[in-house]
Amino acid sequence: FKVYISTKLREGFFKAKEKIPELILVGLDSLNDDGFNFIREVRSDKTLINVYLVILSNKTDDLSKVLAFELGSDDYVVKPVC
């Protein structure tokens, strides 16, 4: 596997467009408008539409999960509490 790391969503989006990975794993401490917009952007981009998109978040509420799936994430994993 090749791994590409970005610390900012915008940077990650452009890196993904350049590299076109098989999987985008997004760690979001709290899903906010930026996180939901990232999902929306990935799914509306014709070069990334088929990339598997997994969200890692500390948000456990059903609304965040449902919204992430409705916007196009393929999976949603809740980060364990330490």
Side-chain angles (χ1 to χ4, degrees), residues 5-37:
I5 298 172
S6 296
T7 58
K8 296 185 177 17
L9 291 174
R10 179 105 326 292
E11 175 188 329
F13 177 74
F14 288 115
K15 191 175 283 187
K17 280 184 62 98
E18 177 187 336
K19 304 295 184 180
I20 309 176
E22 292 181 36
L23 167 72
I24 298 175
L25 183 60
V26 184
L28 300 172
D29 288 332
S30 59
L31 273 179
N32 54 29
D33 288 341
D34 289 341
F36 291 125
N37 285 334

Side-chain angles (χ1 to χ4, degrees), residues 16-57:
K17 280 184 62 98
E18 177 187 336
K19 304 295 184 180
I20 309 176
E22 292 181 36
L23 167 72
I24 298 175
L25 183 60
V26 184
L28 300 172
D29 288 332
S30 59
L31 273 179
N32 54 29
D33 288 341
D34 289 341
F36 291 125
N37 285 334
F38 179 81
I39 298 169
R40 194 177 291 117
E41 271 191 282
V42 167
R43 287 299 173 234
S44 65
D45 187 281
K46 64 182 177 184
T47 60
L48 299 175
I49 196 165
N50 293 317
V51 174
Y52 198 78
L53 181 60
V54 177
I55 304 300
L56 296 175
S57 179

Side-chain angles (χ1 to χ4, degrees), residues 56-58 77-82:
L56 296 175
S57 179
N58 61 358
V77 179
V78 176
K79 294 179 183 180
V81 176
C82 297

